[in-house]
Amino acid sequence: MKNFKKFLTLVLAVMMVVSSFAFSTSAATTKFEDVDAKNEELVKAVDLLNYMGVAKGTSETTFGTDELVTRQQFALFIYRLMKGGKDAPAGAANSTKFTDLEDSTYTYAIAWANAQGIVNGKSATTFAPKDGIKLQEAYAMIVRALGFNYPTGYPWSYINAGIKLGLDRGLEDIGYTETLTRAETAVILYNAMTAEY
């Protein structure tokens, strides 16, 4: 519940940003050339997450909408989301039991999320950082970040909770075991920030 209160405070701050952000953009426009301007929900999600520093572009003009997201990247997005856009310290030593963390860009975020109970490994000693993040894993991480935990109900209790929270709003037909793209990830994270709790 402690994480939920922190997240709720963050959501209120985000809503203030969203309100001012909405007034500053009268039509769906984005600086990212690979974001379909006709998809207003995606434009809002990408631009807000980029503005906040949660999910940045892959370059000045591209968001990488069709690129697949890894588990380590999603853990970093969750860290930034919960920390109000603050980036995780790079170069941190591995303080987890996971022996397969090789990129120190993500180590701190994964260690933090693991200590908070937000992320689990694929086994007792592996995180599988470069595996694609599946929809059901993303839902589980977000739901746990909000302070809800269903220790015996993976994946369906998390999927159901994610749907109740509206994390699926605006998503195209995607299976729960499919790997998410950066565009889909942006929509889910945006939905987490703007959901009614």
Side-chain angles (χ1 to χ4, degrees), residues 15-17 26 28 39 45 55 69 85 89 91 103 109 128 131 140 158 163 173 180 182 189:
M15 293 315 295
M16 291 172 51
V17 171
S26 57
N39 187 340
V69 176
D103 190 338
D131 284 5
Y158 292 100
I163 291 168
D173 188 29
L180 297 174
R182 284 176 57 87
L189 292 173

Side-chain angles (χ1 to χ4, degrees), residues 64-70 73 132-133 179-182 184-185:
T65 53
D66 294 330
E67 291 181 25
L68 299 179
V69 176
T70 64
Q73 290 169 333
I133 187 76
T179 300
L180 297 174
T181 64
R182 284 176 57 87
E184 292 161 342
T185 298

